[in-house]
Amino acid sequence: MAVTMAPTDRPGLDAEGLKLLAVAQALLKKTVYALPEPDFDPLDAAPERLVAYGLPPRPPPGTEAFDAWTRLFTPPPDGKLTFLPAGVPELTPDWLIDGYLLDRPGTPRATGRAESSRNWSGVYIATNGQGRFKQTFGAWTVPQVSPPTPGIDGDYRCSTWTGLDGHRRHSLSMPQLGTTQKVKVVSGTAQPHTEEAWWQWWLRGFRFPPFPFPGFQVAAGQTVQCSLTILSPGLVLFVIRNAATGAVGRIKSESPGIGDLVRWGVRGVAAEWITERPTDIFSAVVYPLPNYGTVTYRGCTAIVEQPTPAGPAPVARDLSGARKIRMVAERARPARSAVISVAHKISDTMATTDYKP
């Protein structure tokens, strides 16, 4: 499957970027899953069969995480689940999902429970030293984006995702998955908006790009359900479902920094549900934010493995104690820092981000 995302007037990746792309594709080629038989039902499957088909383990019953997992694998009312083959897409990326960028370098990260970032808006929870996150769930309706100001030429993009880590300066590794929404204005005319689903394993200081889920289609107005599971510090399972069509994409990937997992493995100290301005992979400049309206993140929950005398025990976490992040942008006239996206916690399992004109 060929996926072209870079405009034709952009240069190709440099030697470093091409090397990273080759490493990523080599890692993906190690992932081979048998397709489930037509009558396979994940809700009744034994744990070993879930593993064999590249599906996330069942969380403890009676938790919100278990409910989110159940929703992920409940067939749509008028159809059935369709498990897509795990493949290796070919792509020429022009964007990536970046780590948390401070409002201004050197400024404080947080005031109370509110934080400011140039590229993130949303909520996150932390383990605070009490174990490590092993699994995260989240669902949202893909927004239909529009230019923030009619008639102004530009390439406007926002990404909506759930992931682990990448929030603190010392965080070097961040796996995540979600959707990206784009709209361009050319010669004053808005082009059709587009949407795509992807996964990415970000490493600080590198340009490891996002990869689409082969054969997975998504459109504005459809709901996606996502799950990310740490199988080991250097191995993560990414699963996404289109709730409208029943299509399920899944990828198991090693960390691109597999040679040094002490440095590049996922730590699982924070779980996030984020609306982001993605970064231009060539210039490291964030894209301007489109008007995305409101995104509601539902079923926001995670599983923490906490140490006990009998060994690690899974504990469900929700948005209790969550911190909020607002997105800001520099304005020239007058010179100021303007808030362009804000987050609200609606309940212990639901949060929103809202576009601010």
Side-chain angles (χ1 to χ4, degrees):
M1 175 183 178
V3 180
T4 302
M5 295 190 294
T8 55
D9 61 346
R10 288 185 179 273
L13 290 175
D14 58 15
E16 176 193 350
L18 290 171
K19 180 179 178 181
L20 285 170
L21 195 58
V23 168
Q25 296 208 350
L27 292 173
L28 280 176
K29 289 177 181 177
K30 299 180 181 179
T31 299
V32 179
Y33 294 125
L35 283 176
E37 56 272 18
D39 61 349
F40 174 72
D41 183 0
L43 300 179
D44 295 327
E48 59 271 18
R49 296 189 71 201
L50 295 175
V51 172
Y53 293 137
L55 302 177
R58 189 178 287 108
T63 65
E64 175 58 32
F66 178 82
D67 293 342
W69 183 91
T70 300
R71 289 191 294 269
L72 182 63
F73 294 119
T74 298
D78 56 350
K80 63 180 183 178
L81 297 179
T82 301
F83 294 92
L84 303 175
V88 184
E90 297 178 0
L91 73 166
T92 52
D94 66 336
W95 62 281
L96 57 83
I97 306 300
D98 214 338
Y100 183 107
L101 300 176
L102 287 172
D103 178 2
R104 300 185 187 90
T107 59
R109 175 182 296 270
T111 302
R113 286 200 174 274
E115 303 184 7
S116 295
S117 168
R118 284 179 288 148
N119 62 327
W120 285 19
S121 177
V123 294
Y124 75 93
I125 53 177
T127 59
N128 299 318
Q130 302 298 311
R132 296 180 184 274
F133 287 113
K134 299 293 289 184
Q135 203 169 32
T136 181
F137 295 91
W140 58 91
T141 299
V142 178
Q144 179 174 315
V145 298
S146 61
T149 304
I152 303 299
D153 284 8
D155 185 351
Y156 303 94
R157 309 188 186 193
C158 75
S159 298
T160 42
W161 55 266
T162 182
L164 293 169
D165 297 341
H167 176 256
R168 297 296 180 185
R169 294 184 183 92
H170 55 71
S171 183
L172 304 179
S173 180
M174 176 178 60
Q176 74 268 79
L177 76 163
T179 61
T180 291
Q181 299 74 223
K182 313 174 189 178
V183 62
K184 289 185 178 181
V185 178
V186 180
S187 300
T189 300
Q191 308 301 300
H193 56 83
T194 61
E195 300 80 31
E196 63 183 320
W198 52 265
W199 67 273
Q200 178 184 289
W201 197 318
W202 172 87
L203 299 179
R204 186 175 296 279
F206 293 92
R207 287 175 292 164
F208 181 71
F211 282 85
F213 288 88
F216 189 93
Q217 303 295 321
V218 69
Q222 295 179 330
T223 294
V224 293
Q225 299 161 295
C226 296
S227 170
L228 187 153
T229 304
I230 299 177
L231 304 176
S232 72
L235 189 64
V236 167
L237 175 63
F238 305 83
V239 177
I240 187 169
R241 174 198 172 177
N242 185 323
T245 66
V248 178
R250 70 256 197 270
I251 289 289
K252 180 172 64 177
S253 177
E254 294 177 343
S255 167
I258 192 69
D260 184 2
L261 290 184
V262 174
R263 180 175 178 82
W264 299 115
V266 58
R267 299 178 60 201
V269 297
E272 304 108 0
W273 296 265
I274 299 295
T275 299
E276 174 172 348
R277 290 197 291 169
T279 298
D280 183 296
I281 202 169
F282 301 102
S283 68
V285 173
V286 293
Y287 283 95
L289 187 70
N291 182 344
Y292 68 82
T294 296
V295 174
T296 301
Y297 294 92
R298 301 180 298 276
C300 301
T301 185
I303 295 294
V304 180
E305 273 197 351
Q306 291 187 348
T308 71
V315 177
R317 286 281 309 275
D318 56 24
L319 295 182
S320 300
R323 299 184 72 98
K324 297 180 292 185
I325 305 170
R326 62 183 184 178
M327 190 189 305
V328 298
E330 295 301 313
R331 303 299 193 208
R333 298 179 181 178
R336 68 196 190 283
S337 181
V339 176
I340 58 175
S341 179
V342 295
H344 302 280
K345 176 186 166 184
I346 306 303
S347 72
D348 283 343
T349 60
M350 183 184 299
T352 64
T353 61
D354 299 288
Y355 174 77
K356 302 293 289 184

